[in-house]
Amino acid sequence: MTAGTIRSATSSVNGDGIITYGSYVGGKDVPSDQWVHVLGARAVLDDSFANLALKRKLDRGDTTLSEAATNAVVGRVAVADANTIRMAMYSAAEAAAEWRTMPLSVRVDGYLELMHSAITDNIPTIEHMLTLEGHPLELARWEISGMLAASSREARQFYREQLWRETTAGGQRQIIRRQPDGVVCVNPPANAPMVSALFAALSIASGNAMIVRAPRSVPLGIMYAIHDLLAPVLDEIGAPAGTVNAVCGHPGPLFDAWLESPLVNDIMYFGSSRTGVAFERRCVTFGKKPILELAGNDAVVVWRDADLDHAAQAVTEGFFGSGQLCMIPNQTVVHPAVADAFIDRVSARASALRPGYPDEEGVLLSPVLRHDAFRTCLDDALSKGAVLVSGGSGMSLDGSTDGAGFFLEPTVIRVNGLRRAREILAVEHETFFPLMPIIVPDADDDDELLTETVEFVNTNLYGLRNSVWATDDAVVERFLTGIVNGGLLKINDSHISFSPPLPSHGGTGLTGGVFGEANYPVLRTTHLQGVSIRSGATAPRYR
């Protein structure tokens, strides 16, 4: 696979330069008489009304690409019909029965090493595909670093250790191993479809087969990842056809088919907490294992002895992608002794962030559709005593203030008092826009303040990531032993960085549902099994 190019083995480019993908089922490209068309991010920003109207006409079949004569459309993806969806489940079930018999050296070492190489060799193309979908280039690079971390040598070694442990005792081989669940169906989020699909594809390493739904709004990146990254890797190591499958369609019919099919074992669902928790109940009713990746409302704690410049840099990560990422900081608790100096630093950094086209260097802000929700949330905070420090308005593409613009100014508010902070919506729930509440507890004895801060973090309804900035060893130890909420705890580190073999996803509460914890797809899509092996030369003993 050549870096910076899109393979044409299963994808095709027509005379208009449009990348075309069918469904990918059983190792074959499956066309359709219905398509969804993909607009480039620049086209949407330049003329959203006209180009989105054109997309609707193309998707309905009211016009054709040749009639439209436009360069706004960069690709199209086939919509899977009911038969194609059934074919995907049968193909995955057949493949899983064979694939799980492959040794770990093939499934973990071979597959993930080649996956890592495929990503590395195609970084320019992956960046291009992500920016086409509206991901700012710098965030695309961050997302790629996460893919590489999850398939790194350190991660592979950890997976191997967890999947198979063997000892000998009393002439008996004792094995504790994790066996694959079978067919894993994946519903990625529309804000990060490609990287979420690649994250879920780690489940293949444990012996599962995967079916991924490409969202109709952003299907191109997923289809590229399946057709042109994963499928060639699996072919190279001899995986059966059907080990990976991809279909594009409406979520409702697909979910119903997955839930009702006896061939499906696990469903990995990315989405809001409200819909995800309800979907979890449906999964349990139908006997499917739900693996949820839902909202985050991550907390950062900045203690009095923290490096304020470093901590402010980490908190500013909460504005990346205009706050439309689940694993970024959503709220900060800062020690009252350093609150003023810290807030000034964060505000200055936030105000320096600028909008722009996603393929431009240095752009970190994305368009935000939910301006009404942003203003409702900001008004709620201000009405309950919060103070607007900076931001608060809309922005146009050039960075000028514009209430009707696509973008929102990164906004910092100060919330005085810890005990009643969660009366504010922006503190209690994930916001998904660039609004950072910085909570300043009332001055108190440090020991008491430590206790209250730890309790505040632990009682967060969500639990994805938490991070702490402090240098005193005793203070760090209090946070380390006290914070139990969340799937990942970072201390004096970037809140969003990836550090293999630590988990990148997963959490507790409304983030991961009833079964929530740190999410390693290689492990979450498996079940523990104990094995005892004797030679057969001795009589059985029950005690």
Side-chain angles (χ1 to χ4, degrees):
M1 287 176 281
T2 305
T5 61
I6 298 176
R7 291 174 70 259
S8 58
T10 52
S11 61
S12 63
V13 180
N14 65 22
D16 296 317
I18 304 301
I19 307 165
T20 298
Y21 289 106
S23 301
Y24 190 78
V25 176
K28 298 178 180 179
D29 188 75
V30 181
S32 170
D33 57 3
Q34 184 181 357
W35 302 85
V36 290
H37 295 76
V38 181
L39 302 174
R42 278 182 172 259
V44 176
L45 288 172
D46 286 340
D47 192 346
S48 62
F49 182 81
N51 285 318
L52 289 172
L54 171 63
K55 171 180 162 53
R56 284 191 291 271
K57 291 177 65 177
L58 288 166
D59 290 352
R60 291 196 304 258
D62 294 340
T63 189
T64 65
L65 284 168
S66 58
E67 291 171 341
T70 177
N71 59 5
V73 178
V74 296
R76 65 175 189 164
V77 171
V79 177
D81 60 19
N83 185 56
T84 302
I85 293 168
R86 283 193 297 271
M87 287 170 50
M89 291 187 288
Y90 280 109
S91 295
E94 289 182 0
E98 180 182 347
W99 175 239
R100 68 186 179 218
T101 67
M102 297 280 193
L104 290 179
S105 59
V106 174
R107 290 193 276 114
V108 176
D109 302 320
Y111 165 60
L112 291 182
E113 185 174 356
L114 284 176
M115 177 181 175
H116 190 276
S117 297
I119 293 168
T120 302
D121 293 344
N122 289 276
I123 285 176
T125 303
I126 298 171
E127 289 178 351
H128 175 62
M129 298 299 286
L130 289 170
T131 57
L132 282 179
E133 294 184 342
H135 298 233
L137 180 58
E138 188 60 29
L139 284 186
R141 291 167 177 162
W142 166 70
E143 290 172 300
I144 292 169
S145 76
M147 300 181 213
L148 293 173
S151 56
S152 66
R153 179 181 57 82
E154 295 85 358
R156 297 195 300 269
Q157 181 179 347
F158 172 74
Y159 304 150
R160 284 289 302 268
E161 293 169 351
Q162 297 297 312
L163 288 170
W164 186 286
R165 295 190 179 190
E166 184 171 339
T167 60
T168 302
Q172 182 186 70
R173 270 182 80 194
Q174 296 178 332
I175 302 167
I176 300 174
R177 63 184 183 180
R178 301 199 71 97
Q179 293 283 64
D181 290 337
V183 174
V184 178
C185 295
V186 182
N187 177 64
N191 67 312
M194 185 205 298
V195 293
S196 298
L198 286 171
F199 168 72
L202 297 169
S203 64
I204 294 172
S206 43
N208 299 292
M210 183 178 83
I211 306 169
V212 60
R213 181 186 82 89
R216 288 173 59 96
S217 57
V218 275
L220 198 62
I222 281 182
M223 288 305 188
Y224 163 73
I226 300 304
H227 284 76
D228 299 321
L229 292 179
L230 292 185
V233 163
L234 290 165
D235 287 346
E236 184 170 340
I237 61 175
T243 302
V244 66
N245 307 270
V247 292
C248 177
H250 290 291
L254 268 170
F255 292 164
D256 289 343
W258 291 348
L259 289 168
E260 294 168 5
S261 173
L263 303 175
V264 170
N265 301 93
D266 300 352
I267 302 179
M268 188 177 296
Y269 180 94
F270 295 74
S272 72
S273 291
R274 181 180 59 83
T275 57
V277 170
F279 185 69
E280 178 181 58
R281 291 194 290 269
R282 290 189 69 198
C283 286
V284 173
T285 299
F286 281 90
K288 312 300 181 187
K289 180 194 287 186
I291 302 171
L292 304 183
E293 286 293 337
L294 308 179
N297 192 19
D298 293 7
V300 180
V301 176
V302 180
W303 204 243
R304 66 157 66 238
D305 61 346
D307 185 309
L308 298 186
D309 289 322
H310 292 168
Q313 180 178 335
V315 168
T316 307
E317 295 168 356
F319 298 115
F320 289 6
S322 293
Q324 298 171 108
L325 300 165
C326 64
M327 58 180 64
I328 57 174
N330 284 83
Q331 56 187 280
T332 306
V333 179
V334 59
H335 194 288
V338 295
D340 292 343
F342 177 75
I343 291 173
D344 287 345
R345 285 167 166 80
V346 174
S347 178
R349 287 179 175 273
S351 299
L353 298 175
R354 312 308 298 165
Y357 292 111
D359 55 359
E360 293 178 340
E361 291 284 352
V363 172
L364 284 166
L365 300 180
S366 303
V368 180
L369 298 178
R370 302 174 59 191
H371 285 213
D372 291 344
F374 166 77
R375 293 190 175 91
T376 297
C377 207
L378 178 59
D379 290 345
D380 170 80
L382 299 180
S383 70
K384 294 173 181 175
V387 177
L388 178 63
V389 177
S390 58
S393 299
M395 280 193 298
S396 61
L397 184 63
D398 62 8
S400 60
T401 300
D402 180 0
F406 277 112
F407 298 85
L408 288 170
E409 292 178 338
T411 300
V412 178
I413 60 173
R414 176 175 178 142
V415 178
N416 291 310
L418 191 64
R419 292 179 177 85
R420 301 187 63 183
R422 288 215 178 97
E423 295 178 3
I424 294 174
L425 290 175
V427 177
E428 184 178 16
H429 293 292
E430 182 190 51
T431 52
F432 229 61
F433 33 72
L435 175 62
M436 177 61 65
I438 300 182
I439 306 161
V440 184
D442 296 328
D444 204 341
D445 172 76
D446 271 7
D447 190 64
E448 182 63 28
L449 194 53
L450 265 171
T451 300
E452 291 184 2
T453 302
V454 168
E455 180 184 7
F456 181 82
V457 173
N458 283 336
T459 54
N460 188 345
L461 296 176
Y462 304 77
L464 184 51
R465 295 183 174 207
N466 295 303
S467 61
V468 173
W469 288 84
T471 56
D472 185 285
D473 289 342
V475 172
V476 170
E477 186 66 19
R478 285 282 296 275
F479 284 117
L480 184 61
T481 57
I483 294 177
V484 296
N485 196 18
L488 187 66
L489 175 62
K490 307 288 285 291
I491 296 178
N492 296 326
D493 194 7
S494 162
H495 190 91
I496 66 173
S497 65
F498 302 101
S499 306
L502 296 180
S504 60
H505 290 66
T508 55
L510 292 179
T511 294
V514 175
F515 309 103
E517 60 178 337
N519 188 356
Y520 296 94
V522 176
L523 306 180
R524 289 289 300 281
T525 57
T526 63
H527 51 275
L528 277 171
Q529 184 184 67
V531 179
S532 167
I533 304 174
R534 286 187 179 272
S535 66
T538 59
R541 297 177 57 185
Y542 65 86
R543 65 179 179 87

